[in-house]
Amino acid sequence: MTVRAVKQISIGRNGVGSFILQCKKMDFHYCDWAGSSKGMNGFIKSLLPKFAASHPQVEFSVSPRPSKHPVIIAQYINGREKAICVRNMEPYEVLKKAELLRDANGEKLRKVTKPVQSINESVRGVWSPYHGNGLRV
Amino acid sequence: MKRLRLDRWTGQLLLARPGASPASTPRAALRAAAAVPSRCAAVRSQSTGAAVPQIPREDVDDYYDGTDHTRFPPLEPLPPRATSLPSPPPERALQSAKLAALHARLSLPERLPLQTLARALVDASADENPQFNNTTLAFVGQSLINYHVAEWVMCRYPRLPMDIMYATMKGYAGASSLHHVARAWGVEHAAAPGGEVDPGLLQFSLHKPGDAIVGLGYRRAEADGMKKYKWRHGMSSRVVFDDDFGEVVDTEDAKDELRLRRDTEYGNEYTRALAEKAFATCARAVTGAIYAHAGRDAAKAFVQAHVLSRTLDLSKLFAFAKPTRELSMLCAREDFEPPVARLLSETGRMSRTPVFVVGIFSGKDKLGEAAGPSLEVARNKAAMNALKSWYLYSPGEGVRVPSDMLADDARPWEPAYIDIGEVVGR
């Protein structure tokens, strides 16, 4: 006859209380010889030190991948990873791609049609046909 | 696909060691073939070719794969005895990129060193030595988290029944919740613990669960009988004996059957519970580490940011057995007029999908209202809504908790609302 409890787990929402950057690791692969890596090599020499220093929450690794196009691979907290091939790009274009990967949340890309997504219940409530004065047809 | 015929395999294949062989990369294989004969090259018994002259073993490195070490310097060597230790030595914490990234990702204070964070990632099942595992940190963290959650829930929802209170505590600070918290931090786990593992990985073992105690609670003598014969245990004994979530402190013997199957299955309930516990212990240990190095206020802010900021709908925690009777007892206790259910509106009484809207009134006050497909269901739902609105009374969002008084410039304490207790005790 007493009230009993149902087990539930609280739901976390990133950005409420604390924000955690979803990108946790970035791998930069380059080739010393190939021409498609020219921009990537310039990026690693000139822009990457500053980029890496300004993002201590991301683990960076730079490694050669001879005879292959240069690529940036980012790993995310949700377990997925995203890779962008940066062949024949200028250093600043590579930086743009690195920032794009940094800002992504790792989810598959999908079209967002609603301006707000929320797990809170509606403040206004659900419309009920049994309340109010009714509608005369 | 053709079947492999073992009898046709030559000695070379059988002798080749995967990974460690000199010919692991094509270029290295070419170089090795030109200069240094493979250590494990087999000489066929019927071979007519001249025997390759064997050069002395001493000047060939065992694992040398032909890499140009001036261009690609070798990885940092492990300190001696690293592989024989149960967990990574503390000095390696400074070299781990994963650990530094985790420290920055959680915005941990500068005063919290990487060595302590590394220690928070070593579970008692990986390293039994309490000076190197996270047991002590987790005990502090568990006490802190449970204290902050409990005081917040009690001040924010003063009328919750004890069972719901325990469920709320578990929903926020229980092992499965904190497991999600630690996962959301990006904590990864190592496949197996050991001294050679990166210190930035969570280390726990599924083969020998550590017997570290990270919570308060007595192990009941009658725990086995409670499980086997479903002996009744009332709320009062749960408050006194059991852990912070009102759950019986479990004995490991009960899981023998699952433990036996852990290696044959990909993962079972037992291994999942162990992994969940390890992640939760890690989250608690990080909180304890913050308290140890940065103090009380930082730890409280951390708990608020990572545990209390999560969403839990308390109205979904209630399961009523006889809501109408409980509501009439509540009204009798509070000197309200006895509750009366009235039909507010209805439609399609004779149809396949009727809807009745029933309100429960005490005198002229409406206590609750609900719609249902029959009069009985609608009345029960209305009574549940009335009870929930009683139990979930809240003084407001910005309610003060006792630990607010620990601040130096705290206003004088105004007593919090205390309810007289549950409607029906158990």
Side-chain angles (χ1 to χ4, degrees), chain B residues 359-384:
Chain B
I360 293 215
F361 292 84
S362 164
K364 285 188 174 176
D365 302 325
K366 184 158 81 175
L367 302 181
E369 181 193 305
S374 74
L375 287 168
E376 184 69 25
V377 170
R379 186 182 61 177
N380 278 339
K381 278 173 78 178
M384 288 181 208

Side-chain angles (χ1 to χ4, degrees), chain B residues 180-261:
Chain B
H180 284 292
V181 170
R183 289 260 185 198
W185 290 346
V187 174
E188 299 164 73
H189 64 90
E196 73 282 7
V197 176
D198 189 322
L201 297 171
L202 174 65
Q203 307 192 33
F204 61 92
S205 168
L206 294 179
H207 284 87
K208 45 173 178 72
D211 52 353
I213 298 170
V214 290
L216 297 167
Y218 295 97
R219 187 162 284 177
R220 297 192 191 214
E222 72 273 22
D224 293 338
M226 279 164 50
K227 193 165 287 179
K228 193 170 173 188
Y229 303 111
K230 301 207 166 32
W231 286 345
R232 157 185 182 284
H233 51 294
M235 188 52 69
S236 312
S237 75
R238 284 175 68 184
V239 173
V240 173
F241 290 117
D242 295 345
D243 65 4
D244 288 349
F245 310 114
E247 295 197 326
V248 179
V249 178
D250 210 356
T251 52
E252 282 293 328
D253 313 335
K255 293 164 185 157
D256 272 342
E257 193 195 343
L258 280 172
R259 194 188 301 142
L260 287 178
R261 286 192 281 132

Side-chain angles (χ1 to χ4, degrees), chain B residues 43-97:
Chain B
V43 180
R44 296 188 183 196
S45 56
Q46 303 285 316
S47 172
T48 52
V52 186
Q54 296 282 329
I55 60 166
R57 270 277 297 116
E58 284 73 34
D59 49 16
V60 182
D61 187 13
D62 199 7
Y63 294 104
Y64 182 68
D65 59 351
T67 314
D68 184 1
H69 282 310
T70 52
R71 282 184 63 207
F72 307 115
L75 298 176
E76 292 192 20
L78 288 170
R81 293 185 55 242
T83 48
S84 62
L85 295 173
S87 65
E91 63 267 18
R92 282 189 59 212
L94 297 175
Q95 298 158 4
S96 168

